Amino acid sequence: MIDSVSIVVIDDNLGSLELLSAALARPGLEIFTASNPVDGIELVKQHRPRLVLTDLVMPGMSGLEVLDHVVAFDPAIDAILMTAHYTTETAVAAIRAGAADYLQKPVKLSLLRERVSALIDSAARRQRAHSGAEMEFEGLVARSDKMWELFAMIERVAPHFRSILIKGPTGAGKDLIAQALHLRGGLKGRFVVLNCSAVVETLFESELFGHVKGAFTGADRDKAGLFDLANGGTLFLDEIGDMPMATQAKLLRAIQNQEVMPVGGLTPKRVNVRIVAATHKDLKSAIAEGKFREDLYYRLAMVELAVPSLRDRPEDIALLARHFMRKFAHEFAKPIDGLTPRATLVLERHSWPGNVRELEHVIGRACMLTEGHLIDVDSLPDHLVQPERLNGAAPDDCGFGTTLTLEEQEKRLVTQAMKEADGNQSEAARRLGIGRDALRYKLKRYDLL
């Protein structure tokens, strides 16, 4: 809980206003109410609450307009919209506009309390993350603003989405993001996974929709498809860009109609399945090349989540390294307590083309090789320890091969890149082969800003 938490409730129905206030009342929570939007906005400006609850349809100003005022005043304030005319599409639109949640009236009071508590707790986690503490979100650990913005979006859309597209480089953790969406969605069904790049083209339809006995040679019995297995839950389609065009058309119909037709069957089956698709490819380019259906893309991308590269969130590298170190130390039954400062610096200096998966493999290897209580550079792969050249400069030109520490060497590299780029951070980041946010992190670290 955050100290001195306050909430503003806005509803033109006085009965609803009284009911909501009574339902949320608890020690440590201060509630301010307004029966019209203008007064409600003034309360927001006066008290800067942690949370705003507002009706969607009100005389003079809609809840979306109230949301615009709240976001413009302080984007950190969470807002929940309430309406008697709930649809998934309007819920997603409200969340895209900045709403933290979107509830149907009459609001179930138990659900309202649950969502409000979750938002307040989430704000507390963000505060702890910014203070430097290790934070976990459904198995994901992070400290960076980029990842906590992603976690906040997951919390907002998870109860409402029908389909979501996750984009990001290979190894960035798209599968864990998909699982977090499933867990935060409160679904009772299973989380079912299909790696589209690992399926033979002729078997796609059977894998997804199942088949009946005798549908083709070798079909000696009925077989349930993944849509059946995921009924009431989530179907995660990893590397959706590798799905054949013919299957894409049938997948689109299944998502739109929530019906599947088994191969060889005559009667469609009703299903209730949420779809999470993921890709490292540029699907818009694939559409232009005729390799991906545009209508399927827009159906999947009602909500898009972008998972950043590890090099663009350098403050998470040491955190993840310790997380994996504990995991593998336990798995290998080794008394490893941490990493040396120079080993940590080597990890932070690497560009991580394989992202979190590469880091996990590096730490797993290091844990196998380490004989003492700390992981040092001698347990890291040679390609991490050996400095890379910068624009063709020899290692000695950058201060390597001298008595400089690794930290001093990195500072010299960053300084040189900024000098060659005439102070242009984007150009300096390109020269170093890192993201602009990663460069800003290093500039702050070495007091070069």
Side-chain angles (χ1 to χ4, degrees):
M1 282 287 294
I2 299 174
D3 295 335
S4 302
V5 176
S6 60
I7 295 178
V8 169
V9 184
I10 309 170
D11 196 316
D12 62 308
N13 185 309
L14 294 177
S16 294
L17 203 59
E18 184 177 343
L19 178 64
L20 293 169
S21 300
L24 293 173
R26 70 185 194 191
L29 194 62
E30 194 170 11
I31 301 173
F32 302 95
T33 63
S35 58
N36 70 76
V38 174
D39 290 345
I41 293 170
E42 286 303 314
L43 286 174
V44 170
K45 293 179 179 179
Q46 180 181 350
H47 298 285
R48 197 179 289 270
R50 174 64 263 163
L51 180 65
V52 174
L53 276 74
T54 179
D55 193 12
L56 181 64
V57 180
M58 296 179 290
M61 186 182 299
S62 72
L64 287 174
E65 290 174 301
V66 171
L67 176 62
D68 288 341
H69 283 281
V70 171
V71 171
F73 173 67
D74 185 350
I77 298 175
D78 289 322
I80 296 178
L81 270 65
M82 303 171 291
T83 180
H85 308 286
Y86 178 96
T87 67
T88 297
E89 289 74 16
T90 54
V92 170
I95 289 167
R96 281 176 171 170
D101 214 332
Y102 188 91
L103 301 178
Q104 182 174 7
K105 279 189 165 184
V107 177
K108 293 182 179 179
L109 298 182
S110 59
L111 177 62
L112 177 64
R113 295 188 193 100
E114 177 186 317
R115 297 285 173 80
V116 167
S117 294
L119 287 171
I120 293 174
D121 290 344
S122 177
R125 289 198 302 272
R126 289 197 297 270
Q127 280 192 352
R128 291 197 298 271
H130 290 159
S131 70
E134 177 173 338
M135 294 305 303
E136 183 172 339
F137 178 87
E138 299 295 357
L140 293 147
V141 293
R143 181 179 295 145
S144 61
D145 288 343
K146 285 179 179 290
M147 289 302 292
W148 278 94
E149 287 168 6
L150 179 59
F151 297 161
M153 180 57 76
I154 290 171
E155 285 190 311
R156 292 179 177 188
V157 301
H160 307 286
F161 80 93
R162 299 305 308 176
S163 57
I164 281 182
L165 179 64
I166 304 173
K167 302 188 297 182
T170 300
K174 298 187 292 294
D175 55 337
L176 295 178
I177 297 297
Q179 289 184 55
L181 282 162
H182 173 74
L183 292 171
R184 289 289 165 141
L187 303 176
K188 296 181 180 179
R190 298 169 59 182
F191 178 76
V192 179
V193 180
L194 176 66
N195 185 341
C196 297
S197 62
V199 180
V200 178
E201 183 171 344
T202 55
L203 296 179
F204 254 106
E205 192 175 345
S206 175
E207 284 291 317
L208 285 171
F209 312 126
H211 63 251
V212 299
K213 181 178 180 180
F216 49 83
T217 303
D220 55 357
R221 55 187 173 83
D222 290 353
K223 174 182 176 294
L226 297 182
F227 266 89
D228 292 302
L229 296 178
N231 197 15
T234 303
L235 176 57
F236 175 44
L237 301 175
D238 199 9
E239 295 304 340
I240 187 74
D242 293 329
M243 180 176 285
M245 290 289 283
T247 309
Q248 290 178 31
K250 294 175 181 177
L251 173 64
L252 176 62
R253 287 196 296 272
I255 296 173
Q256 288 176 331
N257 302 328
Q258 287 290 292
E259 284 185 348
V260 295
M261 178 70 78
V263 177
L266 299 176
T267 305
K269 297 180 180 179
R270 293 290 299 172
V271 291
N272 178 21
V273 177
R274 293 187 177 188
I275 303 294
V276 179
T279 182
H280 74 282
K281 296 181 176 180
D282 183 349
L283 292 187
K284 290 187 176 179
S285 295
I287 291 169
E289 295 168 5
K291 296 179 180 178
F292 200 84
R293 291 182 63 102
E294 186 174 22
D295 48 3
L296 177 59
Y297 170 79
Y298 285 112
R299 170 59 65 172
L300 294 172
M302 178 180 288
V303 177
E304 287 190 20
L305 300 178
V307 185
S309 299
L310 184 55
R311 68 184 179 190
D312 291 331
R313 46 188 182 103
E315 58 268 53
D316 289 338
I317 293 174
L319 185 71
L320 286 164
R322 290 194 298 271
H323 172 75
F324 293 134
M325 178 273 298
R326 287 191 290 270
K327 168 189 170 184
F328 288 113
H330 175 75
E331 182 178 329
F332 301 148
K334 284 193 166 186
I336 303 173
D337 299 325
L339 297 90
T340 65
R342 58 182 176 179
T344 301
L345 182 61
V346 167
L347 296 177
E348 291 181 333
R349 189 181 63 189
H350 186 54
S351 61
W352 298 109
N355 290 288
V356 179
R357 186 178 299 147
E358 180 188 359
L359 176 59
E360 182 177 12
H361 291 167
V362 164
I363 298 301
R365 173 188 184 276
C367 286
M368 282 191 283
L369 296 177
T370 297
E371 295 181 352
H373 291 278
L374 296 175
I375 295 173
D376 205 349
V377 291
D378 59 348
S379 297
L380 299 178
D382 289 342
H383 73 277
L384 266 67
V385 180
Q386 295 298 322
E388 299 177 352
R389 297 172 181 265
L390 179 64
N391 291 335
D396 285 344
D397 295 335
C398 298
F400 292 104
T402 71
T403 58
L404 293 177
T405 67
L406 288 171
E407 187 171 11
E408 290 168 334
Q409 293 165 13
E410 182 177 58
K411 181 177 180 180
R412 184 171 289 191
L413 281 172
V414 172
T415 302
Q416 180 180 337
M418 285 294 290
K419 182 179 179 180
E420 293 176 354
D422 293 325
N424 185 307
Q425 293 182 12
S426 296
E427 173 61 19
R430 187 191 66 78
R431 288 170 178 264
L432 290 167
I434 60 178
R436 189 172 182 272
D437 287 345
L439 174 62
R440 288 188 59 82
Y441 168 76
K442 295 179 187 299
L443 290 172
K444 290 179 181 178
R445 176 175 182 163
Y446 298 125
D447 295 323
L448 297 175
L449 275 179

